[in-house]
Amino acid sequence: MYKLDKNLSDALKKVKYFLLDLDGTLYLEGKPIGDMANTLDYLRGKGKKLVYLTNNSSKSTDVYVERLKNIGFYKEGDLVYSSGLATVEYLNRYHKGKKVYLLGTDAMKKEMADNGINLTEKVDAEIAIMSYDTELTYEKLCNFLRNVHFGATYIATHPDNNCPAKDVYLPDVGSYIKMIEVASGYTPSLIIGKPNDIMGKNLKARFNEDSDDAFMMVGDRLYTDIAFGKNCNFYAMLVMSGETTEDMIPSAPKAPDFILDSLNDIVKYL
């Protein structure tokens, strides 16, 4: 069905870490795609480490772990890595101790505070973080903008315009970014999540891994998942179980290395 320029079996011999998108890749509307739990067990059995990689910064790591456990996906040795957690690591590495105003959920505020981020609710921040706030209020939005206006460095956790839902795509951080830009002209000086390469650099450092070929990004979105993999010089596998259709592939900003109907098909190549 799909023409591939590289040999998947040869690539998989080099890959140690599978970076797995969630919705559209492992499950749809919370339901596993095919026999996904056994596919993940098969990858573990082949010595691969599973990293659940998501741009969604509205939930804490603990919430994701519990959700993945409930559907039989998460097991000891796996890792959940979100754009929110990547932002925490970025702040601790480059802006340690600075006052941070977070436009975010209570869960994300707790995760940041638990990891040593110096949060403020006032208009006195040195850094203003735009995350996926599903508890958004007008007051929070105005305080975020005031902090940026008075000199706080504006950072966004990820650029997704929308978040898939059952009946309609809902506004995500990318939509908030556009709203702030229309209102004030301000845009982020940095965006952490996919497709940018910061999460990839953080993971290489976390695992003390020098080889780009040790990582494979698997996802269903061309402009985030696949572009991220290619921006990091990782292998990038597109799965056709989510939002991408075949006619979208030729115009992709970055071409995937491999294409499968679903991640379940990977067992044929290992």
Side-chain angles (χ1 to χ4, degrees), residues 145-173:
L145 183 52
R146 289 188 181 101
N147 272 293
V148 173
H149 178 74
F150 288 109
T153 300
Y154 176 6
I155 296 174
T157 57
H158 62 284
D160 297 43
N161 289 329
N162 54 57
C163 184
K166 186 174 181 180
D167 299 316
V168 62
Y169 277 12
L170 301 174
D172 204 328
V173 170

PDB file of all heavy atoms in Angstrom, residues 145-173:
ATOM      1  N   LEU A 145      -1.535  37.828  29.955  1.00  0.00           N
ATOM      2  CA  LEU A 145      -1.186  38.884  29.007  1.00  0.00           C
ATOM      3  C   LEU A 145      -0.500  40.054  29.710  1.00  0.00           C
ATOM      4  O   LEU A 145       0.473  40.624  29.190  1.00  0.00           O
ATOM      5  CB  LEU A 145      -2.444  39.359  28.269  1.00  0.00           C
ATOM      6  CG  LEU A 145      -2.257  40.421  27.190  1.00  0.00           C
ATOM      7  CD1 LEU A 145      -1.190  40.003  26.185  1.00  0.00           C
ATOM      8  CD2 LEU A 145      -3.573  40.683  26.472  1.00  0.00           C
ATOM      9  N   ARG A 146      -0.947  40.396  30.904  1.00  0.00           N
ATOM     10  CA  ARG A 146      -0.298  41.481  31.653  1.00  0.00           C
ATOM     11  C   ARG A 146       1.151  41.128  31.975  1.00  0.00           C
ATOM     12  O   ARG A 146       2.047  41.975  31.876  1.00  0.00           O
ATOM     13  CB  ARG A 146      -1.087  41.775  32.931  1.00  0.00           C
ATOM     14  CG  ARG A 146      -2.434  42.453  32.696  1.00  0.00           C
ATOM     15  CD  ARG A 146      -3.065  42.890  34.012  1.00  0.00           C
ATOM     16  NE  ARG A 146      -4.361  43.524  33.781  1.00  0.00           N
ATOM     17  CZ  ARG A 146      -5.534  42.913  33.957  1.00  0.00           C
ATOM     18  NH1 ARG A 146      -5.570  41.651  34.379  1.00  0.00           N
ATOM     19  NH2 ARG A 146      -6.659  43.553  33.719  1.00  0.00           N
ATOM     20  N   ASN A 147       1.386  39.888  32.363  1.00  0.00           N
ATOM     21  CA  ASN A 147       2.760  39.474  32.662  1.00  0.00           C
ATOM     22  C   ASN A 147       3.646  39.579  31.432  1.00  0.00           C
ATOM     23  O   ASN A 147       4.785  40.060  31.516  1.00  0.00           O
ATOM     24  CB  ASN A 147       2.773  38.041  33.218  1.00  0.00           C
ATOM     25  CG  ASN A 147       2.602  37.998  34.723  1.00  0.00           C
ATOM     26  OD1 ASN A 147       3.460  38.435  35.474  1.00  0.00           O
ATOM     27  ND2 ASN A 147       1.460  37.480  35.171  1.00  0.00           N
ATOM     28  N   VAL A 148       3.137  39.156  30.289  1.00  0.00           N
ATOM     29  CA  VAL A 148       3.913  39.267  29.046  1.00  0.00           C
ATOM     30  C   VAL A 148       4.163  40.726  28.710  1.00  0.00           C
ATOM     31  O   VAL A 148       5.282  41.127  28.356  1.00  0.00           O
ATOM     32  CB  VAL A 148       3.190  38.547  27.889  1.00  0.00           C
ATOM     33  CG1 VAL A 148       3.906  38.806  26.565  1.00  0.00           C
ATOM     34  CG2 VAL A 148       3.103  37.045  28.159  1.00  0.00           C
ATOM     35  N   HIS A 149       3.119  41.540  28.844  1.00  0.00           N
ATOM     36  CA  HIS A 149       3.235  42.967  28.510  1.00  0.00           C
ATOM     37  C   HIS A 149       4.298  43.659  29.368  1.00  0.00           C
ATOM     38  O   HIS A 149       5.038  44.530  28.879  1.00  0.00           O
ATOM     39  CB  HIS A 149       1.886  43.652  28.699  1.00  0.00           C
ATOM     40  CG  HIS A 149       1.917  45.122  28.419  1.00  0.00           C
ATOM     41  ND1 HIS A 149       1.993  45.635  27.137  1.00  0.00           N
ATOM     42  CD2 HIS A 149       1.905  46.195  29.261  1.00  0.00           C
ATOM     43  CE1 HIS A 149       2.028  46.956  27.203  1.00  0.00           C
ATOM     44  NE2 HIS A 149       1.967  47.322  28.471  1.00  0.00           N
ATOM     45  N   PHE A 150       4.403  43.253  30.630  1.00  0.00           N
ATOM     46  CA  PHE A 150       5.364  43.898  31.531  1.00  0.00           C
ATOM     47  C   PHE A 150       6.718  43.181  31.576  1.00  0.00           C
ATOM     48  O   PHE A 150       7.488  43.371  32.508  1.00  0.00           O
ATOM     49  CB  PHE A 150       4.755  44.042  32.922  1.00  0.00           C
ATOM     50  CG  PHE A 150       3.675  45.082  32.997  1.00  0.00           C
ATOM     51  CD1 PHE A 150       2.345  44.721  33.145  1.00  0.00           C
ATOM     52  CD2 PHE A 150       3.983  46.438  32.872  1.00  0.00           C
ATOM     53  CE1 PHE A 150       1.340  45.690  33.196  1.00  0.00           C
ATOM     54  CE2 PHE A 150       2.990  47.406  32.924  1.00  0.00           C
ATOM     55  CZ  PHE A 150       1.662  47.032  33.081  1.00  0.00           C
ATOM     56  N   GLY A 151       6.963  42.366  30.557  1.00  0.00           N
ATOM     57  CA  GLY A 151       8.331  41.893  30.350  1.00  0.00           C
ATOM     58  C   GLY A 151       8.615  40.421  30.562  1.00  0.00           C
ATOM     59  O   GLY A 151       9.762  39.992  30.366  1.00  0.00           O
ATOM     60  N   ALA A 152       7.633  39.632  30.951  1.00  0.00           N
ATOM     61  CA  ALA A 152       7.877  38.203  31.139  1.00  0.00           C
ATOM     62  C   ALA A 152       8.153  37.526  29.802  1.00  0.00           C
ATOM     63  O   ALA A 152       7.496  37.832  28.795  1.00  0.00           O
ATOM     64  CB  ALA A 152       6.686  37.533  31.818  1.00  0.00           C
ATOM     65  N   THR A 153       9.099  36.607  29.786  1.00  0.00           N
ATOM     66  CA  THR A 153       9.379  35.826  28.585  1.00  0.00           C
ATOM     67  C   THR A 153       8.222  34.858  28.338  1.00  0.00           C
ATOM     68  O   THR A 153       7.825  34.106  29.228  1.00  0.00           O
ATOM     69  CB  THR A 153      10.681  35.026  28.754  1.00  0.00           C
ATOM     70  OG1 THR A 153      11.755  35.934  28.983  1.00  0.00           O
ATOM     71  CG2 THR A 153      10.984  34.199  27.518  1.00  0.00           C
ATOM     72  N   TYR A 154       7.694  34.874  27.127  1.00  0.00           N
ATOM     73  CA  TYR A 154       6.495  34.128  26.755  1.00  0.00           C
ATOM     74  C   TYR A 154       6.906  32.784  26.138  1.00  0.00           C
ATOM     75  O   TYR A 154       7.534  32.736  25.090  1.00  0.00           O
ATOM     76  CB  TYR A 154       5.699  34.989  25.776  1.00  0.00           C
ATOM     77  CG  TYR A 154       4.446  34.435  25.151  1.00  0.00           C
ATOM     78  CD1 TYR A 154       3.885  33.200  25.500  1.00  0.00           C
ATOM     79  CD2 TYR A 154       3.787  35.190  24.169  1.00  0.00           C
ATOM     80  CE1 TYR A 154       2.730  32.738  24.898  1.00  0.00           C
ATOM     81  CE2 TYR A 154       2.626  34.745  23.566  1.00  0.00           C
ATOM     82  CZ  TYR A 154       2.110  33.518  23.919  1.00  0.00           C
ATOM     83  OH  TYR A 154       0.963  33.066  23.311  1.00  0.00           O
ATOM     84  N   ILE A 155       6.541  31.682  26.834  1.00  0.00           N
ATOM     85  CA  ILE A 155       6.845  30.330  26.374  1.00  0.00           C
ATOM     86  C   ILE A 155       5.542  29.534  26.318  1.00  0.00           C
ATOM     87  O   ILE A 155       4.721  29.614  27.232  1.00  0.00           O
ATOM     88  CB  ILE A 155       7.847  29.627  27.316  1.00  0.00           C
ATOM     89  CG1 ILE A 155       9.191  30.364  27.304  1.00  0.00           C
ATOM     90  CG2 ILE A 155       8.037  28.169  26.934  1.00  0.00           C
ATOM     91  CD1 ILE A 155      10.197  29.831  28.328  1.00  0.00           C
ATOM     92  N   ALA A 156       5.354  28.759  25.252  1.00  0.00           N
ATOM     93  CA  ALA A 156       4.190  27.879  25.130  1.00  0.00           C
ATOM     94  C   ALA A 156       4.630  26.427  25.221  1.00  0.00           C
ATOM     95  O   ALA A 156       5.708  26.062  24.744  1.00  0.00           O
ATOM     96  CB  ALA A 156       3.465  28.117  23.803  1.00  0.00           C
ATOM     97  N   THR A 157       3.798  25.596  25.845  1.00  0.00           N
ATOM     98  CA  THR A 157       4.170  24.192  26.002  1.00  0.00           C
ATOM     99  C   THR A 157       4.108  23.435  24.683  1.00  0.00           C
ATOM    100  O   THR A 157       4.889  22.496  24.461  1.00  0.00           O
ATOM    101  CB  THR A 157       3.268  23.480  27.021  1.00  0.00           C
ATOM    102  OG1 THR A 157       1.893  23.599  26.613  1.00  0.00           O
ATOM    103  CG2 THR A 157       3.450  24.054  28.410  1.00  0.00           C
ATOM    104  N   HIS A 158       3.192  23.795  23.786  1.00  0.00           N
ATOM    105  CA  HIS A 158       3.069  23.095  22.500  1.00  0.00           C
ATOM    106  C   HIS A 158       2.216  23.939  21.552  1.00  0.00           C
ATOM    107  O   HIS A 158       1.557  24.888  21.988  1.00  0.00           O
ATOM    108  CB  HIS A 158       2.489  21.694  22.684  1.00  0.00           C
ATOM    109  CG  HIS A 158       1.107  21.656  23.266  1.00  0.00           C
ATOM    110  ND1 HIS A 158       0.851  21.869  24.601  1.00  0.00           N
ATOM    111  CD2 HIS A 158      -0.098  21.435  22.689  1.00  0.00           C
ATOM    112  CE1 HIS A 158      -0.450  21.758  24.820  1.00  0.00           C
ATOM    113  NE2 HIS A 158      -1.046  21.504  23.667  1.00  0.00           N
ATOM    114  N   PRO A 159       2.211  23.598  20.257  1.00  0.00           N
ATOM    115  CA  PRO A 159       1.544  24.460  19.287  1.00  0.00           C
ATOM    116  C   PRO A 159       0.219  23.940  18.739  1.00  0.00           C
ATOM    117  O   PRO A 159      -0.347  24.562  17.833  1.00  0.00           O
ATOM    118  CB  PRO A 159       2.577  24.502  18.150  1.00  0.00           C
ATOM    119  CG  PRO A 159       3.154  23.134  18.153  1.00  0.00           C
ATOM    120  CD  PRO A 159       3.140  22.665  19.595  1.00  0.00           C
ATOM    121  N   ASP A 160      -0.321  22.810  19.232  1.00  0.00           N
ATOM    122  CA  ASP A 160      -1.508  22.208  18.627  1.00  0.00           C
ATOM    123  C   ASP A 160      -2.684  23.186  18.643  1.00  0.00           C
ATOM    124  O   ASP A 160      -3.034  23.731  19.692  1.00  0.00           O
ATOM    125  CB  ASP A 160      -1.917  20.951  19.397  1.00  0.00           C
ATOM    126  CG  ASP A 160      -0.859  19.865  19.346  1.00  0.00           C
ATOM    127  OD1 ASP A 160       0.327  20.195  19.493  1.00  0.00           O
ATOM    128  OD2 ASP A 160      -1.229  18.688  19.190  1.00  0.00           O
ATOM    129  N   ASN A 161      -3.307  23.356  17.490  1.00  0.00           N
ATOM    130  CA  ASN A 161      -4.454  24.263  17.402  1.00  0.00           C
ATOM    131  C   ASN A 161      -5.696  23.693  18.064  1.00  0.00           C
ATOM    132  O   ASN A 161      -6.541  24.434  18.565  1.00  0.00           O
ATOM    133  CB  ASN A 161      -4.771  24.575  15.934  1.00  0.00           C
ATOM    134  CG  ASN A 161      -3.735  25.469  15.309  1.00  0.00           C
ATOM    135  OD1 ASN A 161      -3.125  26.304  15.978  1.00  0.00           O
ATOM    136  ND2 ASN A 161      -3.511  25.298  14.015  1.00  0.00           N
ATOM    137  N   ASN A 162      -5.834  22.369  18.026  1.00  0.00           N
ATOM    138  CA  ASN A 162      -7.041  21.759  18.575  1.00  0.00           C
ATOM    139  C   ASN A 162      -6.724  20.431  19.221  1.00  0.00           C
ATOM    140  O   ASN A 162      -5.653  19.851  19.014  1.00  0.00           O
ATOM    141  CB  ASN A 162      -8.119  21.601  17.497  1.00  0.00           C
ATOM    142  CG  ASN A 162      -7.590  20.848  16.280  1.00  0.00           C
ATOM    143  OD1 ASN A 162      -7.117  19.730  16.397  1.00  0.00           O
ATOM    144  ND2 ASN A 162      -7.650  21.473  15.112  1.00  0.00           N
ATOM    145  N   CYS A 163      -7.673  19.973  20.014  1.00  0.00           N
ATOM    146  CA  CYS A 163      -7.576  18.680  20.682  1.00  0.00           C
ATOM    147  C   CYS A 163      -8.744  17.820  20.208  1.00  0.00           C
ATOM    148  O   CYS A 163      -9.904  18.238  20.323  1.00  0.00           O
ATOM    149  CB  CYS A 163      -7.642  18.870  22.199  1.00  0.00           C
ATOM    150  SG  CYS A 163      -7.419  17.339  23.133  1.00  0.00           S
ATOM    151  N   PRO A 164      -8.475  16.642  19.623  1.00  0.00           N
ATOM    152  CA  PRO A 164      -9.572  15.818  19.116  1.00  0.00           C
ATOM    153  C   PRO A 164     -10.554  15.439  20.214  1.00  0.00           C
ATOM    154  O   PRO A 164     -10.171  15.110  21.324  1.00  0.00           O
ATOM    155  CB  PRO A 164      -8.853  14.576  18.574  1.00  0.00           C
ATOM    156  CG  PRO A 164      -7.448  15.008  18.343  1.00  0.00           C
ATOM    157  CD  PRO A 164      -7.169  16.044  19.401  1.00  0.00           C
ATOM    158  N   ALA A 165     -11.838  15.503  19.887  1.00  0.00           N
ATOM    159  CA  ALA A 165     -12.894  15.066  20.794  1.00  0.00           C
ATOM    160  C   ALA A 165     -13.947  14.344  19.964  1.00  0.00           C
ATOM    161  O   ALA A 165     -13.882  14.332  18.727  1.00  0.00           O
ATOM    162  CB  ALA A 165     -13.499  16.260  21.529  1.00  0.00           C
ATOM    163  N   LYS A 166     -14.905  13.750  20.629  1.00  0.00           N
ATOM    164  CA  LYS A 166     -15.856  12.866  19.943  1.00  0.00           C
ATOM    165  C   LYS A 166     -16.644  13.582  18.857  1.00  0.00           C
ATOM    166  O   LYS A 166     -16.774  13.083  17.738  1.00  0.00           O
ATOM    167  CB  LYS A 166     -16.812  12.243  20.965  1.00  0.00           C
ATOM    168  CG  LYS A 166     -17.747  11.203  20.366  1.00  0.00           C
ATOM    169  CD  LYS A 166     -18.576  10.520  21.431  1.00  0.00           C
ATOM    170  CE  LYS A 166     -19.492   9.468  20.818  1.00  0.00           C
ATOM    171  NZ  LYS A 166     -20.311   8.783  21.846  1.00  0.00           N
ATOM    172  N   ASP A 167     -17.181  14.757  19.165  1.00  0.00           N
ATOM    173  CA  ASP A 167     -18.076  15.425  18.222  1.00  0.00           C
ATOM    174  C   ASP A 167     -17.429  16.576  17.464  1.00  0.00           C
ATOM    175  O   ASP A 167     -17.859  16.905  16.365  1.00  0.00           O
ATOM    176  CB  ASP A 167     -19.314  15.953  18.968  1.00  0.00           C
ATOM    177  CG  ASP A 167     -20.102  14.838  19.631  1.00  0.00           C
ATOM    178  OD1 ASP A 167     -20.297  13.800  18.972  1.00  0.00           O
ATOM    179  OD2 ASP A 167     -20.504  14.997  20.792  1.00  0.00           O
ATOM    180  N   VAL A 168     -16.420  17.197  18.069  1.00  0.00           N
ATOM    181  CA  VAL A 168     -15.841  18.393  17.462  1.00  0.00           C
ATOM    182  C   VAL A 168     -14.421  18.569  17.993  1.00  0.00           C
ATOM    183  O   VAL A 168     -14.130  18.173  19.126  1.00  0.00           O
ATOM    184  CB  VAL A 168     -16.699  19.646  17.792  1.00  0.00           C
ATOM    185  CG1 VAL A 168     -16.742  19.908  19.276  1.00  0.00           C
ATOM    186  CG2 VAL A 168     -16.217  20.867  17.033  1.00  0.00           C
ATOM    187  N   TYR A 169     -13.531  19.131  17.169  1.00  0.00           N
ATOM    188  CA  TYR A 169     -12.188  19.448  17.658  1.00  0.00           C
ATOM    189  C   TYR A 169     -12.285  20.660  18.577  1.00  0.00           C
ATOM    190  O   TYR A 169     -12.890  21.677  18.224  1.00  0.00           O
ATOM    191  CB  TYR A 169     -11.262  19.745  16.484  1.00  0.00           C
ATOM    192  CG  TYR A 169     -10.682  18.505  15.825  1.00  0.00           C
ATOM    193  CD1 TYR A 169     -11.177  17.238  16.114  1.00  0.00           C
ATOM    194  CD2 TYR A 169      -9.647  18.619  14.915  1.00  0.00           C
ATOM    195  CE1 TYR A 169     -10.644  16.112  15.517  1.00  0.00           C
ATOM    196  CE2 TYR A 169      -9.107  17.491  14.307  1.00  0.00           C
ATOM    197  CZ  TYR A 169      -9.614  16.238  14.622  1.00  0.00           C
ATOM    198  OH  TYR A 169      -9.074  15.122  14.029  1.00  0.00           O
ATOM    199  N   LEU A 170     -11.675  20.548  19.763  1.00  0.00           N
ATOM    200  CA  LEU A 170     -11.762  21.596  20.771  1.00  0.00           C
ATOM    201  C   LEU A 170     -10.500  22.452  20.771  1.00  0.00           C
ATOM    202  O   LEU A 170      -9.417  21.979  20.413  1.00  0.00           O
ATOM    203  CB  LEU A 170     -11.964  20.953  22.146  1.00  0.00           C
ATOM    204  CG  LEU A 170     -13.218  20.077  22.261  1.00  0.00           C
ATOM    205  CD1 LEU A 170     -13.255  19.377  23.616  1.00  0.00           C
ATOM    206  CD2 LEU A 170     -14.475  20.896  22.035  1.00  0.00           C
ATOM    207  N   PRO A 171     -10.595  23.734  21.179  1.00  0.00           N
ATOM    208  CA  PRO A 171      -9.430  24.620  21.138  1.00  0.00           C
ATOM    209  C   PRO A 171      -8.328  24.172  22.071  1.00  0.00           C
ATOM    210  O   PRO A 171      -8.574  23.799  23.220  1.00  0.00           O
ATOM    211  CB  PRO A 171     -10.003  25.985  21.554  1.00  0.00           C
ATOM    212  CG  PRO A 171     -11.295  25.689  22.242  1.00  0.00           C
ATOM    213  CD  PRO A 171     -11.820  24.439  21.620  1.00  0.00           C
ATOM    214  N   ASP A 172      -7.100  24.187  21.562  1.00  0.00           N
ATOM    215  CA  ASP A 172      -5.912  23.804  22.313  1.00  0.00           C
ATOM    216  C   ASP A 172      -4.986  25.018  22.363  1.00  0.00           C
ATOM    217  O   ASP A 172      -5.380  26.141  22.012  1.00  0.00           O
ATOM    218  CB  ASP A 172      -5.245  22.596  21.634  1.00  0.00           C
ATOM    219  CG  ASP A 172      -4.380  21.770  22.568  1.00  0.00           C
ATOM    220  OD1 ASP A 172      -3.787  22.334  23.498  1.00  0.00           O
ATOM    221  OD2 ASP A 172      -4.255  20.545  22.340  1.00  0.00           O
ATOM    222  N   VAL A 173      -3.745  24.805  22.776  1.00  0.00           N
ATOM    223  CA  VAL A 173      -2.822  25.919  23.010  1.00  0.00           C
ATOM    224  C   VAL A 173      -2.623  26.786  21.772  1.00  0.00           C
ATOM    225  O   VAL A 173      -2.538  28.014  21.869  1.00  0.00           O
ATOM    226  CB  VAL A 173      -1.463  25.386  23.517  1.00  0.00           C
ATOM    227  CG1 VAL A 173      -0.417  26.493  23.536  1.00  0.00           C
ATOM    228  CG2 VAL A 173      -1.611  24.818  24.920  1.00  0.00           C
TER     229      VAL A 173
END
